[in-house]
Amino acid sequence: MGSRLRRRHPARRASLIRDAEACYRSSSRAVALARRFGTDLHVLHITTARELELFSPGPLPGKRITAEVCVHHLLFDDRDYPRLGHLIKCNPAIKAPSDRDALRQALLDGRLDVIGSDHAPHTREEKTRPYAQAPAGLPLVQHSLPALLELVADGLLPLTQLVHKTSHAVAERFSVERRGYLREGYWADLVLVERLAEPRPVEADPIHAQCGWTPFQGRTFRHAVRTTLVSGQLGWHQGRFGEDCQGLPLRFRRR
């Protein structure tokens, strides 16, 4: 019955097939178990306003139960399905504008501690298959930061909060050594961003993901990444990748 239902409905029904109730039930069960046994828990991919009641507002230090929101759940809502279809099919599904707005607000009050991203390199051909066959996930590596900076430019998210939720809080929550801050003795993981004189269409630049597409096609951004340093090495500069740039293993502090 469930498989027949998924075959009949297009992508715009994704938020009903994987609905808010399903999200709340799974998140609330995980949180209840963590509280019962006094364990640490980090819940990924929060998508609904109702789930936010499960998490405490305020700063990260001292929390044992924390939550993350993905870039695409902050930037898209279910009004985008008619235009983008399965290109924005993801699990959990993108929900209503009211859910998206609640997620943005929860970044400000601290109920959402971390901003994450998706890195699913499915081809356009794969994503345009019927609902049941189309894989879930989006390629977001190239455009995550410029997309989030749109929230900053619109006055919806302070730049300091963007930096904290994507860098500082990640290193703090997972006890990553010498990462996440601009400090002496820390690894130089840096991005240099330019504020553009005029908004630039996404299509004006090449898509570097091997899948060759982006869900942000048709949008314009007011910022562009000019240089990326990874562990002190040039990963991207003056429109070119650093051929010798290699990532290093992360090290974690033992508790």
Side-chain angles (χ1 to χ4, degrees), residues 31-193:
V31 169
L33 287 170
R35 287 175 177 163
R36 178 182 176 185
F37 294 104
T39 60
D40 281 0
L41 175 69
H42 184 67
V43 184
L44 303 176
H45 301 5
I46 298 299
T47 61
T48 70
R50 187 182 177 194
E51 287 172 281
L52 297 171
E53 70 186 45
L54 301 170
F55 306 100
S56 300
L60 179 63
K63 288 185 180 181
R64 299 200 68 179
I65 299 175
T66 53
E68 171 245 60
V69 62
C70 278
V71 172
H72 46 295
H73 294 123
L74 295 169
L75 274 297
F76 296 101
D77 60 61
D78 61 12
R79 296 171 297 183
D80 294 303
Y81 284 120
R83 180 173 64 89
L84 294 170
H86 297 154
L87 294 180
I88 57 169
K89 178 189 174 184
C90 55
N91 297 330
I94 290 166
K95 303 295 196 299
S98 58
D99 291 302
R100 183 207 62 188
D101 293 345
L103 297 175
R104 292 175 176 180
Q105 181 59 39
L107 287 172
L108 302 179
D109 70 18
R111 292 179 188 274
L112 291 174
D113 304 282
V114 170
I115 299 175
S117 60
D118 202 352
H119 308 301
H122 305 298
T123 65
R124 183 181 287 272
E125 179 185 3
E126 290 173 314
K127 292 290 282 182
T128 52
R129 293 172 183 169
Y131 182 90
Q133 287 79 47
L138 292 74
L140 293 177
V141 176
Q142 182 175 349
H143 297 105
S144 286
L145 183 56
L148 290 170
L149 284 167
E150 289 298 294
L151 299 179
V152 175
D154 289 336
L156 299 172
L157 183 67
L159 181 60
T160 52
Q161 282 284 58
L162 172 58
V163 173
H164 179 73
K165 302 290 184 179
T166 57
S167 299
H168 303 338
V170 179
E172 292 174 10
R173 181 63 181 93
F174 299 105
S175 301
V176 187
E177 290 186 348
R178 296 197 296 162
R179 304 278 181 178
Y181 285 88
L182 182 60
R183 290 174 176 171
E184 184 177 355
Y186 276 51
W187 289 103
D189 299 319
L190 305 173
V191 179
L192 304 183
V193 176

